[in-house]
Amino acid sequence: MSTIALDPRLSAGAVPADLRIPLPPRGRRLAQPAVREPAWREAMRWSLIGLTASMAAGEVALMLFGP
């Protein structure tokens, strides 16, 4: 840790410009708001997740209790 950060007597003006943390940008949006997906696409996503989980469970069952 630098001695500048440890010394409470030093003010912000005493910190060199290259060691200062810049302020975050204001007034600009960095990310666009998320667009809600159609219901059919969300339903297809969940059905694919369910199908994949079911297939994985079947593979595990075959490994454990297989022929």
Side-chain angles (χ1 to χ4, degrees):
M1 184 174 267
S2 78
T3 56
I4 294 173
L6 294 176
D7 193 358
R9 294 173 294 162
L10 294 175
S11 65
V15 178
D18 58 340
L19 293 179
R20 291 185 192 148
I21 298 173
L23 294 174
R26 294 185 188 205
R28 286 186 271 165
R29 295 187 105 173
L30 299 179
Q32 296 291 332
V35 178
R36 183 161 168 83
E37 291 185 343
W40 65 268
R41 185 173 288 179
E42 189 172 350
M44 291 303 286
R45 175 180 291 124
W46 283 109
S47 67
L48 183 62
I49 290 170
L51 181 65
T52 306
S54 175
M55 187 177 75
E59 292 291 324
V60 169
L62 280 176
M63 278 187 185
L64 293 175
F65 308 111

